Amino acid sequence: MVKDAEAHAAEDKKRRELVDAKNSGEALAHDAEKALKDYGDKVAQSDRSAIESAVATLRTALQGEDVEGIKARTNDLMQAQMKLGEAMYKAQAASGAPGDGGAGPGGDGQAKDDVIDAEFREVDDDKKKSS
């Protein structure tokens, strides 16, 4: 059994790499489609088309077994999706949403400090009885 595992180690490694590439590609394609659905109106039509095209080519590559091709298409989609991320960031910053510069619960850009500093001492049961 150990000999079989050693004999197929390289084969298993290639298969694992393919599965990992497909999983990350699928996840990225799903995220890109969801982001386009939610924030597609915030980005230029040319950028939107580029992202849709990159998703389509990645989905086509995912049907095959070419690990390097899948990785390349995944990278292409990441590059195309950066424009959408920039647009989402700008929209969030313009709306003054939380997380846009460290505005905390105080609303004035500074977090509230609810920490109370106190000292304590441990009392042994023997000392407590003798007192």
Side-chain angles (χ1 to χ4, degrees):
M1 191 155 103
V2 173
K3 289 180 183 178
D4 285 342
E6 290 172 356
H8 298 289
E11 187 178 305
D12 291 343
K13 183 179 178 185
K14 287 180 184 179
R15 182 72 181 155
R16 167 94 187 206
E17 189 176 358
L18 175 64
V19 169
D20 288 343
K22 283 188 173 191
N23 285 342
S24 66
E26 280 288 337
L28 184 64
H30 175 74
D31 290 345
E33 289 170 339
K34 185 174 182 339
L36 273 177
K37 181 181 170 190
D38 294 342
Y39 301 103
D41 58 335
K42 307 262 190 270
V43 70
Q45 183 60 35
S46 61
D47 293 332
R48 182 181 174 95
S49 297
I51 294 168
E52 290 171 344
S53 174
V55 169
T57 57
L58 176 57
R59 293 249 184 235
T60 302
L62 288 171
Q63 294 173 357
E65 300 288 320
D66 181 21
V67 175
E68 293 305 317
I70 293 170
K71 287 181 179 180
R73 300 298 78 77
T74 301
N75 190 34
D76 292 345
L77 178 56
M78 280 192 277
Q79 295 299 319
Q81 195 176 4
M82 288 175 84
K83 296 288 185 187
L84 182 61
E86 290 172 8
M88 288 168 42
Y89 178 75
K90 286 178 184 175
Q92 183 182 16
S95 70
D100 63 343
D108 59 353
Q110 296 180 4
K112 289 185 178 180
D113 190 10
D114 293 337
V115 178
I116 300 172
D117 191 19
E119 291 185 23
F120 70 95
R121 59 186 166 145
E122 195 170 310
V123 178
D124 269 348
D125 286 339
D126 295 334
K127 289 181 181 179
K128 191 176 182 181
K129 289 178 184 176
S130 66
S131 301

